[in-house]
Amino acid sequence: MLKKQIRVMLLLSFLLLSFGLTIQAATPKDVLVVAQIAEPKSMDPATVTAVNDFRILMNVYDGLVRYRSGTLEVEPGLAESWTISDDGKVYTFSLRQGIKFHDGSPFNAEAVKFNFDRMLVKDHPYAETGPFPLSFFFSAIKETTVVDEYTVRFRMDDPYAPLLSNLAYPTGLIISPEAVKKHGKDVGRNPAGTGPYQFREWKSNQHVILDRNGSYWDGQAGLKSVVFRPITDANTRVAEMLSGGIDMMVEVPPDNVATFSSNTSYALHEQAGPHLWFLILNLKEGPLQDKRVRQALNYAINKQALVENVLQNTATVASGPTPAAFSWAYNDALQPYPYDPAKARELVKAAGAEGATLTFYVTEGGSGMLDPVPMGTAIQADLKAIGLNVKIETYEWNTFLGKVNPGLEGKADMAEMAWMTNDPDTLPFLALRTSAWPDQGGFNSGYYSNPQVDELLEQARVSTSQTVRAALYKEMQRIVHDDAPWVFVANWKQNAVTGSNVQNFRLEPSFLLLLHKVSKN
Amino acid sequence: MPEPLLQFDRVTKEFDLYKNWFGKTSKRFRAVNEVTWQVEPGAALGIVGESGCGKSTMARMAVGLELPTSGEIRFAGKTLDKWLKEEALLLRQSVQMVFQDPSASLNPRQRIREILELQLQRLTDFRAEQRMQRMKEVLEQVQLPLVALDRYPHEFSGGQAQRISIARALISKPRLLLLDEPVSALDVSVQAQILLLLEEMRKELGVTYVFISHDLAVVEQLCPSVLVMYAGSIVESGPTNQLFQQRNHPYTDLLIRSVPVPGKSLELKSEEMANLENSQGCAFRNRCSKANQQCSQAPILKEVSGSMGGHECACHYPLSEAA
Amino acid sequence: MVEKNTPALEFWQRLNRNRLSTVGLLMLGLIFVLCLITPWLPLPDPDATDLANRLKTPLTSNHLLGTDELGRDLLSRLLWGTRVSLVVGFVATLAAALVGSLIGLVSGYFQGWIDSGLMRGVDTLMAFPYMLLALAIVAAFGPGLLNALFAIAIVNVPFFARTVRGATISLVQREFVLAARLGGASHFGVLWRELLPNILPVIVVTISTTAGWMILETAGLSFLGLGAQPPTADLGSMLGEGRKLLFTAPHVSTLPGLVILILVISLNLLGDGVRDVLDPRLRGGALRSPQPRTEVLSAELGSAQVRSTEKLVIRNLTTELFQQGQAKPLVRNVDFELRPGECLGLVGESGCGKSVTALSLAALAASPPLRIASGTVELDGEDILRLPLRLLQDIRGKRVSYIFQDPLTTLNPVLTIGEQLIQVIRRHQSLSSRASYTEALHLLSRVRIPSPETRMKAYPHQLSGGMRQRVCIAIALANRPEVLIADEPTTALDVTIQAEILSLLNDLRKTTLKDSQTGKKTGLSVLFITHDLGVVSTICEKVAVMYAGQIVEFGETKSILESPQHPYTQALLACTPRLGAKHKVLGGIPGTPPPPGSYPSGCGFLDRCKVASVKCQDPVHLMQLSSNRQVRCVLKQGANA
Amino acid sequence: MLRYTIHRLLLTIPVLVGISVVVFLIMALIPGDPATAILGAFATPENATKLRAELGLDRPLIEQYFTWAGNLLSGDFGRSYALNRPVLDELLERLGPTLLLAGSAMCVCVLLGLIAGLLAAVKQYTWVDQGLTLFTLIGISAPSFWLGLMAVSLFTVQLGWLPASGMYTPYGDESLGDLLVHLLMPAVTLGLVASSVIARLTRTSMLEQLRQDYVRTARAKGERETAVVIRHAFRNALVGLIPVLGLQAGFVLGGAVYIETVFQWPGIGRMLVNAISTRDILLVQGGVMMVATIYVFFNLLADLIQHALDPRIQHSHG
């Protein structure tokens, strides 16, 4: 009797296995399966902050303007053209006509006004559908006016240079007001935009499916559907890619890059972007108050080795606070601090900081954080070599932010940090100015303060001329490089792997994922 | 007549069988039903009855391990509650108990020395050498060698272990010893040894015994007087010889007739079957051939006519009257 | 006084008996030693990075097990990491054991509202998904080994609390605890001196069986990045860090995984061993389940013997206890026969081998550890001990059936009386289910069970002891057996119930005698085993007295009771209390019977016998006194010769 | 039986209340809050304070608890901060996959565990027993997350037999076969550890039962060995194993956290891990309450089954 049961069981498991054999993983034709790094939070562009969510949104929505492919420069999107008043305080956009949202409602100036008022006007009837964490991108806008059905105007009190590039950022994507009115807070799960793909289905932790928008104003998309699958575990993403369960994955773990680049069934895509991986140093207290020690840290850390080995060349060595991807604002005269432990030791000695113990906040992961634990550990080892004892405390990302953003004072000497921005203004303005210290609502957690830098940044912000701004930023970079309030470590080269049958795909410097032109054989 | 050492005065003990959702009792089981008896100093009282008749509950109440639901238990004239409240230590010294299963009543993880010494430490303020002295004494009394002190309980046979239990009970020189089936787990040959030992010690030390057993013959050996219990009540009591020879209660009669005696074959009507379901009245009436209407009223314990004194029976139709 | 080993020594001896646990102990010991000497081993600094030499595969020069993603030596990190994991795992286990045991002890001892309060708390902890609780605790207090340890300990408190509470409850009503309370012990005294020492084994067992689990959980937390802080290695964090290299450098995660596996396996092996030694249920060596039949040594056939016409003939039966390569006889060369319709009493004190004899007759003696070393049991001339199992099973319950001592444990508790009766009927008779139901009803009324229809649906625990034993008798008689073996069938019963059962058996035996319609001269033969001479005299025609595994006296009941020949029989009769007897029992028999298995080669009664002499040290044979009377005593030997 | 069921149900109330308090307290203790999580890297103390006030997180803890508990009783689990949708919607969407995974893992566990334990006990000390013992030993000794990784490495990457993750093939037909193929690896990995525990307990329990008197009785009745083992010993062993199975259900639910992460199973466990890290307090609280309730329910079920199987336990007794 027992034996019979066993036989039945064996048979069953065999059947199941052979069943598995027949269902060989293969994604359907004309459908692109993209592995995301996490479950999206929402598909309401005004409420999200993560690159992970932007990757989907960019294909569902359009903004008034967008980045020209391969650059960080803006080009017309839903707005055909725009004019800026001479004082730089009034922007007037004329909109493309005849465009409809996926839900059938028309796109017009009212819709644009609705979008910005929702974020910016406190007593707007749909302000409740927030919060809108990135609304400060547009906080300079004091008023949005509908000039006529296809003309909309923004008015500001002071000139604000980054506005256009902020409008190209996903926070500026235009959502259908009708959808917001209909779904209220739940619009994040029922999105309607104007983009090349329209929303079909979202199953928690399984997939978000987008279908081709048959009447896209900029030409039909190349794929019938796109499936975004959240696969949080990098290893599983790799396994899925290797077993053919997905067509595309982003953020390939550095050590797996070689696996794909050496295999002709896959195509590896790389693109440097406006990203900086750095260490915030605490200038308020402890040995790092001394500029020599800060410079010593910059000398002591073998950035080349980190980038080559830990990150497997998925990043380049950073030279200063501004990533090279902002080519117009980047000061290419600056050289990264060379790896020079001897000099570092000398500087530390000169500052009398030998044998100092430094507390180092390391995160376990987070947006743009590039293997933070191994990086932190390697840095710890480098600093040990010049006689500094580093004590690592690791925190999960949100706790980490909760500890770092209010300032390092009294807690730590250094903290890992990474920023991806869309404008050369953003990072220094939010994290290097004196008036950006945490107690004033900024992100200058290391309390760097240099009046010269403050002055340069203020000027650049109100200037409407890119050339003027470029000069100001270059000067700022020189000063910050020397002051070394941070350790500048790496600029990420974003990567993605696709099956070799995926055509017309390229990564953008904006780190956004555009699938409009992509097709699959 | 001397003052009784231990008195049960209309003592009842009920246990909760079921509790409802609010913790209130919805069904109770009456283990001991308004019993009244006493034992004089130096006497040995036997209590017999079948399993579940309430005799062990009575023993546990007598030593204060359980409190009666109603009624009063007095030791040396003072109620047990009072003892427990005011002079618990003195009560513990004066009343001790020997349990049925010798292997279960000795802590398997303690050497005999520890078992005895703990008892002394808890009950007396003896110093170390006094304690040693007393341990030697008591081991001698129960006829165990001194080397036993360094052994563990499992190293002893049942009879030896029961001697140790007795030694522990006696070590504080109690006035009253409750023996709850002390020999029923033992083989006949060993049982006889222990009975003899108990008998000798009573003579020697003047301890009062309350001896609980299901074995009539054993009770007869040791106790001059006896109580017969059935379903929580006393059905017959009196001097042992008289009670066994002139049994008055039909249950006592059944009990005695049921005992197999070597060389005698049983003469039993096999229809007498146990059925303990009863609510009111005489608990035995369902098994009793003489039962009638009147038996649905509880009979009270009264003097048997023509007895020499002290022989009482709780039956509406005692055998002696029928004869 | 049986053994004189210290408990500790005994513990080790027993532990080492379990081969696998010895292996576990050795492996664990090796890991411990390696961990202890790690600081002095010629290993590279576990935290020294060497980015140029990252991800070297095992067996590269300077790196025996290769390097990790930062070029750190894996062997060195594994050893240091194991140290950390071990310490955390063990400290967490101890902490959980301490707190949990305390809760369990207090809860089980005081019961009442303290118990319900504590247990609801424990339930709450248990109902919380354990990993999430740990995650949340670590999230609340920040990552780090100490917090991980804290979380693991908290998560495991309920296991200890529950186990210890259960053990405590089973002890609280034990008589030694009552005795201590009667001895004036305080609550603390009872908990500390009486309960704790007895519960300690339970705690140790729980520790030994959960330590491995705790290490796994610690690794799990570290795996999620909540354990050791860099650069410190522990096994879980190494595994977690190495996970993303699974496809490029599998050794980085496989190796720590393997170390965890080996560590936990060895802990579990040891834990199993410890449990086997300390768990009271598993006492007496390994838990071996008895086989369907007793092992019978030698295919001996009584060829030389004349086939007897008796119903059941037992010749030279020797059953022994076989453990650790040692054979200790429990039943020695027993000979007797059973005639049709006859009732033979087998009398003796506990441990004399009477039950083993009874069980050996249908090869039911628990084997292992028992085995039948020699002898035959012939039923109508056929040796049933050596029949193939299937044929033996056909005889059991049909031609030879049994009644055992405790009717509560001998009936299957989860089957109804009816199911159990019908089972045995249908096993041996090809009856329809309806017919077998009728037959079962008939059997129940035959053993005088009132309202049999309702009893058929009852479970054993719903019946009184006497009723249960009647059911057992009904089962035994279901297939009209030729031989009934009753092993102390009334010992567990009250005296009035005993009387009822005895008279029932007597009646049944007589009716079966009349029943024999088949023409063959048959009748139910009964072997009645008891320790009570009184019981024997009420039911048996013949008696065999057993002592120390041998029959020491055999004869008609009446003549044995009136004129016992063996000194043991004499003494036994003398110390049996008799109701209403004028004489009082004097003294009993000094000393104790030899414990089972350590019988002397000479007369077993030697030490306790008043009339023993030197000759008694030699083996004594059973003497035939008269045609129906045998005795095993040198005195009688002399008298006869 | 009904009375007992109600009694047991009432007993679960304090447990559930206790859980709600504990989960609430823990979430209150965790540093970082939904405000920082929502604002992400752009969370300044100022913004965060503002948002906290908007979310009602600045009110006294007790008040927050009672508001939450009160809403919970009326079926309102609140709104997830991070996902910006009703907690209940999210939970219900993930409940199915988790129950499916846990349920199949329990099936694997019960089937494999009971059969292996039974076999090992009956074939005690033979190679069957030793093989199974070794197998179950590895089963309880291997970290389940590691087993999962190894399984993916072998069956997906090396052999390409089974999909690595998810519940359905994306854009597939979502057929039963597709589901089974996706379910196989996680369910077996999750169930294997639990089944090893069950197998070991079954073996011990069977060995214990086989030594009981009633087994000897069954043999004395001439029962065939199969009947002795199955009908007598195993039925009794099962009675003692049922509560353990209930506990294993809890273990499986707890282990689902890892397995759902490794295999990207869209269940509650994985969601909770994320929710803890995003400080999505209401989601964590609601999720834990739901998982705990399931667990309590499983245990209740085990209790009731045990009662049904074991006639000895008095039904109305507390």
Side-chain angles (χ1 to χ4, degrees), chain B residues 45-189:
Chain B
L45 175 70
I47 300 178
V48 292
E50 296 180 4
S51 55
C53 73
K55 51 190 197 303
S56 284
T57 309
M58 217 144 75
R60 291 161 63 100
M61 284 195 286
V63 295
L65 282 174
E66 304 261 13
L67 292 176
T69 313
S70 70
E72 212 173 73
I73 302 169
R74 284 186 290 276
F75 178 72
K78 196 155 97 180
T79 65
L80 215 60
D81 316 26
K82 222 167 171 162
W83 278 103
L84 287 171
K85 253 180 230 145
E86 291 159 14
E87 284 172 279
L89 195 64
L90 197 62
L91 178 76
R92 293 291 175 233
Q93 279 177 15
S94 316
V95 183
Q96 279 294 325
M97 187 161 170
V98 175
F99 297 92
Q100 171 174 359
D101 183 354
S103 61
S105 63
L106 299 176
N107 189 333
R109 304 266 153 198
Q110 290 173 352
R111 289 168 204 267
I112 307 310
R113 180 190 300 279
E114 210 178 333
I115 291 175
L116 296 180
E117 194 151 20
L118 266 174
Q119 185 87 348
L120 276 175
Q121 278 173 353
R122 285 164 180 163
L123 292 178
T124 67
D125 46 10
F126 283 5
R127 278 170 291 117
E129 61 270 32
Q130 283 174 304
R131 288 200 296 263
M132 192 58 220
Q133 186 56 38
R134 180 70 190 131
M135 288 195 293
K136 274 185 193 162
E137 240 170 67
V138 82
L139 277 187
E140 209 169 292
Q141 282 169 355
V142 299
Q143 296 159 17
L144 281 177
L146 215 53
V147 288
L149 281 180
D150 292 313
R151 305 256 160 93
Y152 283 94
H154 73 265
E155 297 175 52
F156 295 92
S157 70
Q160 289 167 327
Q162 200 57 299
R163 283 168 199 267
I164 295 165
S165 290
I166 295 170
R168 174 178 58 190
L170 288 176
I171 204 161
S172 61
K173 301 192 174 164
R175 293 167 69 192
L176 178 72
L177 198 57
L178 266 127
L179 299 143
D180 188 359
E181 305 256 16
V183 295
S184 50
L186 305 175
D187 273 320
V188 193
S189 66

Side-chain angles (χ1 to χ4, degrees), chain A residues 186 204-205 225 240 398-399, chain D residues 93-94 165 270 277 279:
Chain A
D186 290 330
S204 280
N205 248 321
S225 293
E240 282 285 12
N398 282 301
T399 317
Chain D
E93 195 171 326
R94 290 166 182 265
S165 66
R270 184 177 158 211
S277 67
R279 304 294 179 264

Side-chain angles (χ1 to χ4, degrees), chain D residues 111-143:
Chain D
L111 225 76
L112 275 184
L114 291 183
I115 292 177
L118 192 71
L119 267 179
V122 174
K123 305 274 175 197
Q124 196 190 8
Y125 296 132
T126 63
W127 65 268
V128 177
D129 181 26
Q130 277 154 5
L132 284 170
T133 303
L134 185 73
F135 188 73
T136 54
L137 189 67
I138 293 175
I140 59 163
S141 305

Side-chain angles (χ1 to χ4, degrees), chain C residues 116-128:
Chain C
S116 359
L118 284 174
M119 279 305 114
R120 288 299 87 74
V122 163
D123 283 350
T124 304
L125 271 188
M126 276 197 122
F128 224 99

Side-chain angles (χ1 to χ4, degrees), chain B residues 217 220-221 261-263, chain C residues 561 572-574 576-583 585:
Chain B
E220 194 190 22
Q221 290 257 318
V261 177
Chain C
L561 292 180
L572 195 62
L573 270 168
T576 304
R578 287 165 210 223
L579 192 62
K582 293 284 170 281
H583 78 284
V585 169

Side-chain angles (χ1 to χ4, degrees), chain A residues 197-216:
Chain A
Y197 294 96
Q198 64 187 51
F199 172 77
R200 180 164 90 183
E201 177 182 67
W202 178 351
K203 277 200 176 165
S204 280
N205 248 321
Q206 295 190 44
H207 55 234
V208 171
I209 298 181
L210 307 181
D211 285 339
R212 174 191 289 153
N213 173 4
S215 52
Y216 188 52

Side-chain angles (χ1 to χ4, degrees), chain D residues 139-203:
Chain D
I140 59 163
S141 305
S144 61
F145 43 89
W146 186 67
L147 274 186
L149 289 179
M150 292 295 139
V152 171
S153 178
L154 179 64
F155 293 110
T156 304
V157 178
Q158 302 296 324
L159 299 172
W161 286 0
L162 293 167
S165 66
M167 201 164 134
Y168 290 107
T169 305
Y171 219 84
D173 52 358
E174 309 215 336
S175 64
L176 185 66
D178 192 32
L179 179 63
L180 284 180
V181 166
H182 280 80
L183 185 60
L184 189 64
M185 210 156 39
V188 170
T189 315
L190 185 56
L192 206 61
V193 177
S195 79
S196 299
V197 176
I198 294 296
R200 288 159 63 88
L201 282 171
T202 308
R203 178 177 181 270

